[in-house]
Amino acid sequence: MTTDAQNPADGRTARDEQALKDEERRATLIFPSVEVFVNDYLVHVVQRRTDDGSHVWCPSWWAHAEAVARITALWRAFEYLSSDPALGMSNWWLHQADPHLAVLLSPGGPFHACGSERGHSPAARLPTTPAPSGAFDHPVFALMEDDLFPDDPLDLPTS
C-alpha cells in the first residue's frame, strides 16, 4: 500500500518512489504506452485491405474494450519478447499477433459495427444474467495467492 510518509534519509514519499520506479520501467520499454505502440508500430506493420469487408478496423480502436484488452496484451508481449534476439519476434508474430489480429480484424470481431470508411459505431455488449449463489466457490475459479504481479499488472520483466 502506498503512503505519503516521507523517508527521513531523502525526503521522498512512497508515492515518489513508485513514480520513479514507473518512470524507470517506461524508459526501458520500446513503446511507452499501448497508444504509442498502435500509432508508431502496429498500424505501420499490419496493413490489410479494409474496403472489401474481409478485414474490419475501427479508427477509434480505443473505444472498444475487447480491442484495448487484446492490443494491450499484444503490446505487453511485444515488449517482453523483443528482448529475445533469436526467436522473440517470431514467437510474438506466431503466438500473439496472428491469433489476436485474426480476431480483431475479422468481420465478426470487436470492430464488426465499425469500419475504416464508416468510422466508429458502438457495439452491443453480450447479454448476461446474475450467477446463482455459490456458482464460483470451487478453487478453480480463484486466483493464485502468489500473484506474480500483485502491485502492478504492467510490471513487465526488463532483463
Side-chain angles (χ1 to χ4, degrees):
M1 182 167 180
T2 307
T3 66
D4 284 329
Q6 287 189 342
N7 180 339
D10 59 17
R12 289 188 284 197
T13 66
R15 286 181 196 218
D16 294 337
E17 292 292 330
Q18 186 60 46
L20 184 60
K21 286 179 185 176
D22 291 345
E23 186 176 327
E24 288 172 354
R25 187 183 70 245
R26 280 190 296 278
T28 65
L29 299 175
I30 296 169
F31 301 102
S33 71
V34 67
E35 182 178 22
V36 174
F37 172 72
V38 170
N39 293 330
D40 290 358
Y41 182 74
L42 195 66
V43 298
H44 295 282
V45 299
V46 176
Q47 298 178 5
R48 300 291 187 277
R49 186 172 181 171
T50 60
D51 62 350
D52 64 354
S54 62
H55 298 90
V56 183
W57 176 258
C58 181
S60 300
W61 61 270
W62 42 263
H64 298 269
E66 179 184 357
V68 170
R70 286 179 177 276
I71 294 170
T72 299
L74 284 175
W75 167 58
R76 291 176 64 179
F78 178 93
E79 292 292 343
Y80 180 78
L81 292 169
S82 63
S83 66
D84 175 358
L87 297 174
M89 295 297 20
S90 181
N91 283 328
W92 182 78
W93 280 104
L94 290 173
H95 302 291
Q96 304 297 321
D98 288 346
H100 281 297
L101 290 170
V103 173
L104 284 167
L105 299 174
S106 74
F111 304 135
H112 70 275
C114 304
S116 298
E117 305 300 319
R118 294 186 306 273
H120 173 70
S121 295
R125 292 186 177 162
L126 296 173
T128 185
T129 58
S133 178
F136 301 106
D137 288 348
H138 192 278
V140 74
F141 298 116
L143 292 176
M144 297 178 350
E145 292 202 20
D146 296 331
D147 188 358
L148 299 176
F149 303 106
D151 298 324
D152 185 359
L154 293 179
D155 192 296
L156 298 172
T158 58
S159 58

